[in-house]
Amino acid sequence: MPYINSTITLKLSEEKKENIKTKLGKIISEIPGKSEEWLMVGFNDNHTLYFRGEKKEKAAFVQVQICGSTDRKYKNKVTESICTLLQQELSISKDNIYVTFQEIQDWGWNGTLF
């Protein structure tokens, strides 16, 4: 059960959200055992982000949560792919895209834990 939540300074159209969501589905599969089939995606767009006291016009903070754990090499691949995607789709410079990972041991769904 992966979850990718993106906080983005830009206002996204529904078409743009759908396109990015689909591409995130492919990106998550870079982590062994993860797939779009169980992926949940969220967008917090048109959001104000500051870094080092400066308001960013184009920036993103992306949180990737996965049930279980994975090797750092897969997290690095996902980070690179997410940064490339947002740079291509939204013209956000990679140095204004921040990605965090959270590995969750206990994740519930449908009234029980995985």
Side-chain angles (χ1 to χ4, degrees), residues 5-12 17 42-51 54-63 90 92 96:
N5 188 48
S6 301
T7 300
I8 300 172
T9 58
L10 304 169
K11 177 71 176 150
L12 304 181
K17 288 178 185 179
F43 293 102
N44 298 313
D45 63 333
N46 202 28
H47 197 82
T48 302
L49 290 173
Y50 290 86
F51 182 61
E54 179 186 331
K55 183 178 179 182
K56 294 294 185 177
E57 295 302 317
K58 289 187 176 185
F61 180 73
V62 182
Q63 299 166 296
L90 303 175
I92 299 175
N96 282 323

Side-chain angles (χ1 to χ4, degrees), residues 17-68:
K17 288 178 185 179
E18 183 68 28
N19 188 39
I20 292 170
K21 183 263 315 167
T22 298
K23 291 179 179 180
L24 288 172
K26 291 177 178 50
I27 290 171
I28 201 64
S29 67
E30 293 177 8
I31 299 174
K34 307 303 177 197
S35 69
E36 184 178 19
E37 180 182 0
W38 288 97
L39 177 62
M40 181 177 279
V41 174
F43 293 102
N44 298 313
D45 63 333
N46 202 28
H47 197 82
T48 302
L49 290 173
Y50 290 86
F51 182 61
R52 296 183 177 168
E54 179 186 331
K55 183 178 179 182
K56 294 294 185 177
E57 295 302 317
K58 289 187 176 185
F61 180 73
V62 182
Q63 299 166 296
V64 180
Q65 298 177 349
I66 60 170
C67 185

Side-chain angles (χ1 to χ4, degrees), residues 1 65 112:
M1 175 70 198
Q65 298 177 349
T112 189

Side-chain angles (χ1 to χ4, degrees), residues 58-79:
K58 289 187 176 185
F61 180 73
V62 182
Q63 299 166 296
V64 180
Q65 298 177 349
I66 60 170
C67 185
S69 62
T70 193
D71 291 335
R72 186 174 172 88
K73 67 181 177 183
Y74 300 117
K75 293 178 202 173
N76 195 50
K77 283 182 74 173
V78 168
T79 298

Side-chain angles (χ1 to χ4, degrees), residues 58 60 79-88 91-99:
K58 289 187 176 185
T79 298
E80 175 59 30
S81 295
I82 287 172
C83 289
T84 298
L85 170 64
L86 296 181
Q87 183 178 44
Q88 290 173 347
S91 299
I92 299 175
S93 174
K94 288 183 180 183
D95 64 350
N96 282 323
I97 302 169
Y98 305 89
V99 181

